[in-house]
Amino acid sequence: QTTLAHIIANSSKKNGTRFVTLSATSAKTNDVRDVISQAQNEKRLFKRKTILFIDEIHRFNKSQQDTFLPHVECGTVTLIGATTENPSFQVNAALLSRCRVIVLEKLSVEAMEAILMRAVRSLGVQVLGQGNQHGSSATGSSSESSEFPVYIEEKALNTLAYLCDGDARTGLNGLQLVVQARLAVGKTTPLNITKGGSADGILITEEHVKEGLQRSHILYDRAGEEHYNCISALHKSMRGSDENASLYWLARMLEGGEDPLYVARRLVRFASEDIGLADPLALTQAVAAYQGCHFIGMPECEVILAQCVVYFARAPKSIEVYKAYGNVKECLRMHTGPLPPVPLHLRNAPTRLMKNLGYGKGYKYNPMYKEPVEQDYLPEELKGTDFFKERKT
């Protein structure tokens, strides 16, 4: 995002447009007002346009973002905001409606391989392919600082391109770390790099790449959009009775550092919302899983959550209670006028005055009757209402 901003800046300078950069991590509202004031003067005196680039714009709160509204509206500044968060959640809706959202997708594996290949050439690292050498003749800091040449397997580069999840920064940092780690160890390996010839060198393999990345390649943000995406995927996979997908999304969350108690709380909700009375024991399972996670924590509790997730994926589903309660809420929201009073026969009468007023009069105590009791429990206005039937919208 910042690189694109620099490209726009270089292009705008050729057209005589001012380009101002601020970072929401350090800038204050007064800094923004100063830039806007300068932009107004430039526009009025010199007919010169201003592009304002705000990096990490989601770090501004909603009131700070409101500062841009009138000036974006009248064209004082052209606002470019960069954010790693979902703008639907983090950017003021009024400001968002005046902007065009451009989504930067992940880099493809092929693009990552090209980037990593350029990087190893600049480092002076030679690439070993399937039994032959593809390597580069360029020299760089790695080869010059080491007594032995450095080689990396082509398969290791391919693996790194896959594991960095389309993030060039992650891929380049991973490559740099693994090269530095192998140079620090200094262990050489006899290599057959030419026909009939061999030489000693420092070799970087696929295992070294995986070891260097560890879990860092798992894309997950506990406070951002990926948090909501993964829990939604888990919920829908269990609802769809796909136990394999359910386990996969659970692992994506836990291995990415998610709080297991958060997942356990969502499972408690799922037990009643999606399984309900089709399997009343599901709620017991969910509560027990939450308690188990609370007792022992990660990583031991991961199998508890896995067991619960698979149980829920295999369980029968019923939204009968969920829909019925929704119908009750809708009935309350749509009611006009005062809510109907509690029928007198359903009220308690702890005092003589309340008894004299008719509280509890005519109530039939069900356990005293062997046969079914004919008695109304809903207010008169709702007599005969069945919330479990499909309601017309």
Side-chain angles (χ1 to χ4, degrees):
Q1 295 167 347
T2 309
T3 302
L4 287 176
H6 287 307
I7 294 173
I8 295 172
N10 292 332
S11 176
S12 63
K13 288 176 182 177
K14 297 177 183 178
N15 300 328
T17 304
R18 292 178 66 242
F19 191 93
V20 182
T21 301
L22 291 177
S23 174
T25 58
S26 57
K28 299 179 181 179
T29 307
N30 288 337
D31 298 325
V32 175
R33 291 197 178 105
D34 290 341
V35 171
I36 291 174
S37 177
Q38 294 173 10
Q40 290 172 332
N41 293 333
E42 290 281 342
K43 184 179 180 182
R44 184 176 64 253
L45 300 175
F46 305 108
K47 306 298 181 183
R48 192 180 180 196
K49 297 180 180 180
T50 299
I51 297 176
L52 175 57
F53 174 71
I54 305 292
D55 198 14
E56 307 291 346
I57 193 172
H58 63 275
R59 300 291 287 272
F60 278 149
N61 60 38
K62 297 301 174 69
S63 61
Q64 289 174 309
Q65 292 176 21
D66 284 338
T67 308
F68 300 112
L69 281 175
H71 309 290
V72 171
E73 187 75 38
C74 67
T76 301
V77 294
T78 299
L79 177 66
I80 300 177
T83 175
T84 55
E85 304 293 335
N86 188 327
S88 299
F89 300 143
Q90 303 294 339
V91 178
N92 192 327
L95 182 60
L96 195 62
S97 67
R98 290 163 173 81
C99 299
R100 179 181 177 185
V101 177
I102 299 174
V103 180
L104 301 182
E105 302 291 349
K106 300 176 184 177
L107 292 171
S108 66
V109 175
E110 292 76 14
M112 281 305 312
E113 288 176 346
I115 292 171
L116 293 174
M117 194 63 72
R118 284 203 303 266
V120 296
R121 290 194 181 103
S122 68
L123 291 172
V125 177
Q126 301 185 58
V127 182
L128 294 180
Q130 301 295 331
N132 60 342
Q133 178 184 352
H134 290 273
S136 59
S137 59
T139 58
S141 58
S142 293
S143 59
E144 291 174 356
S145 61
S146 175
E147 182 180 352
F148 296 95
V150 180
Y151 300 90
I152 184 169
E153 291 180 345
E154 186 178 22
K155 187 178 180 182
L157 277 181
N158 295 338
T159 299
L160 182 57
Y162 275 98
L163 293 184
C164 65
D165 201 48
D167 188 332
R169 184 178 298 166
T170 300
L172 293 173
N173 287 343
L175 177 64
Q176 181 181 13
L177 287 173
V178 72
V179 170
Q180 290 176 342
R182 297 306 298 164
L183 286 175
V185 173
K187 185 178 180 181
T188 61
T189 304
L191 301 170
N192 294 320
I193 57 174
T194 58
K195 291 183 178 180
S198 63
D200 289 341
I202 297 174
L203 178 64
I204 300 171
T205 66
E206 182 182 20
E207 291 303 316
H208 296 144
V209 167
K210 290 181 178 179
E211 181 183 353
L213 280 179
Q214 295 179 355
R215 294 193 310 171
S216 63
H217 67 278
I218 299 177
L219 177 64
Y220 190 75
D221 182 2
R222 289 177 57 179
E225 183 185 4
E226 200 66 13
H227 165 83
Y228 299 103
N229 289 342
C230 285
I231 194 62
S232 176
L234 173 60
H235 197 125
K236 290 178 173 65
S237 298
M238 291 188 297
R239 180 185 292 155
S241 300
D242 190 328
E243 57 194 47
N244 290 291
S246 301
L247 278 178
Y248 173 79
W249 293 116
L250 173 67
R252 273 277 291 267
M253 298 181 76
L254 296 181
E255 294 302 309
E258 181 58 81
D259 179 6
L261 292 181
Y262 168 77
V263 180
R265 287 193 295 271
R266 300 310 304 163
L267 293 179
V268 173
R269 167 71 181 190
F270 183 91
S272 287
E273 178 182 338
D274 285 270
I275 298 176
L277 295 180
D279 183 359
L281 287 177
L283 184 57
T284 305
Q285 292 280 338
V287 174
Y290 180 89
Q291 292 175 333
C293 292
H294 180 69
F295 289 154
I296 64 176
M298 284 290 286
E300 288 84 356
C301 73
E302 60 188 14
V303 70
I304 298 175
L305 290 174
Q307 175 183 327
C308 189
V309 161
V310 173
Y311 183 98
F312 285 2
R314 294 176 178 178
K317 309 298 189 294
S318 170
I319 59 171
E320 181 186 22
V321 175
Y322 178 68
K323 290 176 66 177
Y325 189 71
N327 290 336
V328 174
K329 291 196 296 182
E330 182 186 5
C331 175
L332 292 172
R333 285 195 299 265
M334 300 300 292
H335 185 83
T336 56
L339 291 172
V342 177
L344 287 175
H345 69 282
L346 295 181
R347 303 185 189 187
N348 281 331
T351 67
R352 184 179 298 276
L353 174 62
M354 296 172 79
K355 286 182 180 179
N356 292 337
L357 292 174
Y359 283 34
K361 185 178 181 179
Y363 172 68
K364 298 176 182 179
Y365 183 60
N366 301 68
M368 293 180 61
Y369 296 85
K370 293 182 180 179
E371 65 279 357
V373 175
E374 291 293 333
Q375 188 168 230
D376 293 327
Y377 299 97
L378 281 171
E380 184 67 27
E381 294 90 330
L382 297 175
K383 188 175 180 180
T385 301
D386 188 350
F387 293 109
F388 290 86
K389 289 185 177 179
E390 192 72 29
R391 296 174 69 86
K392 295 181 180 179
T393 55

